[in-house]
Amino acid sequence: MNEIETHLQEALIQAQQALAAVTSSAEIEECHIRFLGRKGQITALLKSMGAVPAAERPQVGRTANRVKQEIDVAFAAARAALDRQDRVVVQALDVTLPGRRRHSGFLHPVARVMDDAVAIFRRLGFVVADGPDLETVHHNFDALNTPPEHPSRDVKDTFYLADGRCLRTQTSPVQIRVMERQPPPVRIICPGRCYRRDTPDATHSMNFHQIEGLYVDRQVSLADLKGVLGEFAREIMGPDVKIRFRPHFFPFTEPSIEYDFSCIMCGGKGCGVCKHSGWLEISGAGMVDPAVFTAVGYDPETWTGYAFGMGIERIAMIRHAINDIRLLYENDVRFLAQF
Ligand code: DAH
């Protein structure tokens, strides 16, 4: 092989390596000057071909043509690669593309109702109180005037621990805890989790939420209770919602009532949701039983009070027309994201 051919071959390899590493069109231009410019490496070699002996010239000429072709290919490849890169950059900046949706978090419907309920009662002057999920039987039943034979105490209905405590079946025991530690007057709400040994179905869950209310002062009446619950109903469900009381029984209140909201679906005219009664059953309430005051050391001759409890899931279900409580606990984002 002629010396010029060897040099051409070396120059080609250098050019290919240099072009493989370029990152800008300016660098491609530099390569062009270095190898193919007027004083370029390859240009100089081609010029020196005049000195090649005539017999070798055809062979060297062929090599020179091949090197020129290959170097053209290397330049074209480098330009194409750069062009692709430029396009990617331009595409990344394409302001006409639709924006990427950002997934923001949202509150669970049960948490929203709970937050709303707490906010409403706070505006009405109630203070939030707290108690443990694991309760003593004293707080959950005895002090709430619930006799030992009461069916709600049965192991079939309540989760008991080996140490005799239980998972609270209601938020009412927080009433007892608050009254045990502070003198009247009392105006509290207790939001929280409750547990019952129920078989899950469309309206029952072993785990649910309640918000409890207690107001103790002198000369409290059922009318006060109706005023507060009516205000709550209008705030949480809408300005036209009405409330009604029905006689009922709870061990810890006397008299006891159950209260209903007028149906928000039909405005009280009667529909499938309210079973054509015009009313939706919400929960229980009443005037605090004197036996409860005695249990916490309040004088029942001096103090009067009302108490109420309500299921948060029930209100969330009414608010959003959800017909199965289990949907609230399956954590299916497609369901939860609707609210
Ligand atoms: N604790 C009751 C329940 O779980 C609800 C209730 C009724 C609470 C009457 C009260 C009340 O404070 O006075 O069904």
Side-chain angles (χ1 to χ4, degrees), residues 169-172 175 196 208 210 212-213 250 252-253 257 283-286 306-310:
T169 57
Q170 48 191 356
T171 41
S172 308
Q175 291 183 25
R196 281 184 204 174
F208 56 97
Q210 285 186 342
E212 185 83 11
F250 294 102
F252 30 89
T253 40
I257 57 123
S283 197
Y306 63 68
F308 59 86
M310 62 184 83

Side-chain angles (χ1 to χ4, degrees), residues 243-261:
I243 177 170
R244 81 171 179 188
F245 282 2
R246 281 179 290 109
H248 200 72
F249 174 80
F250 294 102
F252 30 89
T253 40
E254 182 55 41
S256 300
I257 57 123
E258 269 194 334
Y259 54 96
D260 303 336
F261 291 174

Side-chain angles (χ1 to χ4, degrees), residues 132-191:
D133 289 22
L134 259 181
E135 257 306 0
T136 66
V137 167
H138 166 75
H139 290 97
N140 198 75
F141 294 120
D142 295 335
L144 285 165
N145 197 36
T146 311
E149 69 280 4
H150 196 275
S152 67
R153 298 176 68 137
D154 199 283
V155 291
K156 288 206 298 293
D157 290 316
T158 300
F159 291 107
Y160 287 97
L161 268 75
D163 66 7
R165 285 181 300 171
C166 63
L167 284 169
R168 69 177 174 199
T169 57
Q170 48 191 356
T171 41
S172 308
V174 185
Q175 291 183 25
I176 303 298
R177 288 184 175 272
V178 172
M179 289 192 284
E180 276 175 349
R181 68 173 178 250
Q182 76 164 74
V186 174
R187 182 149 44 180
I188 52 135
I189 47 164
C190 356

Side-chain angles (χ1 to χ4, degrees), residues 246-292:
R246 281 179 290 109
H248 200 72
F249 174 80
F250 294 102
F252 30 89
T253 40
E254 182 55 41
S256 300
I257 57 123
E258 269 194 334
Y259 54 96
D260 303 336
F261 291 174
S262 57
C263 180
I264 57 162
M265 297 297 160
C266 61
K269 287 190 209 65
C271 68
V273 173
C274 58
K275 300 196 187 86
H276 303 285
S277 71
W279 295 95
L280 297 165
E281 197 179 308
I282 301 298
S283 197
M287 299 305 293
V288 178
D289 194 293
V292 173

Side-chain angles (χ1 to χ4, degrees), residues 67-264:
V67 166
K68 273 199 290 189
Q69 268 171 18
E70 287 193 30
I71 210 153
D72 282 347
V73 169
F75 271 101
R79 288 203 183 93
L82 214 63
D83 192 40
R84 268 199 304 279
Q85 248 176 36
D86 285 352
R87 262 209 308 272
V88 171
V89 173
V90 170
Q91 274 169 7
L93 294 175
D94 185 352
V95 292
T96 66
L97 282 174
R100 289 212 182 119
R101 203 174 267 276
R102 204 181 270 248
H103 287 281
S104 58
F106 48 87
L107 286 178
H108 191 284
V110 170
R112 276 240 312 280
V113 171
M114 191 65 110
D115 287 358
D116 290 353
V118 169
I120 293 166
F121 284 118
R122 286 176 65 138
R123 279 203 296 280
L124 291 170
F126 289 80
V127 172
V128 175
D130 202 8
D133 289 22
L134 259 181
E135 257 306 0
T136 66
V137 167
H138 166 75
H139 290 97
N140 198 75
F141 294 120
D142 295 335
L144 285 165
N145 197 36
T146 311
E149 69 280 4
H150 196 275
S152 67
R153 298 176 68 137
D154 199 283
V155 291
K156 288 206 298 293
D157 290 316
T158 300
F159 291 107
Y160 287 97
L161 268 75
D163 66 7
R165 285 181 300 171
C166 63
L167 284 169
R168 69 177 174 199
T169 57
Q170 48 191 356
T171 41
S172 308
V174 185
Q175 291 183 25
I176 303 298
R177 288 184 175 272
V178 172
M179 289 192 284
E180 276 175 349
R181 68 173 178 250
Q182 76 164 74
V186 174
R187 182 149 44 180
I188 52 135
I189 47 164
C190 356
R193 226 174 239 282
C194 304
Y195 310 81
R196 281 184 204 174
R197 209 161 172 161
D198 281 329
T199 306
D201 63 20
T203 54
H204 293 84
S205 167
M206 285 190 271
N207 182 216
F208 56 97
H209 297 77
Q210 285 186 342
I211 190 164
E212 185 83 11
L214 172 70
Y215 177 40
V216 181
D217 209 330
R218 292 170 210 271
Q219 294 175 352
V220 179
S221 74
L222 267 184
D224 297 325
L225 173 64
K226 197 162 189 182
V228 161
L229 288 179
E231 186 60 28
F232 173 77
R234 288 186 292 275
E235 290 270 343
I236 198 113
M237 294 295 183
D240 299 326
V241 171
K242 291 179 200 50
I243 177 170
R244 81 171 179 188
F245 282 2
R246 281 179 290 109
H248 200 72
F249 174 80
F250 294 102
F252 30 89
T253 40
E254 182 55 41
S256 300
I257 57 123
E258 269 194 334
Y259 54 96
D260 303 336
F261 291 174
S262 57
C263 180
I264 57 162

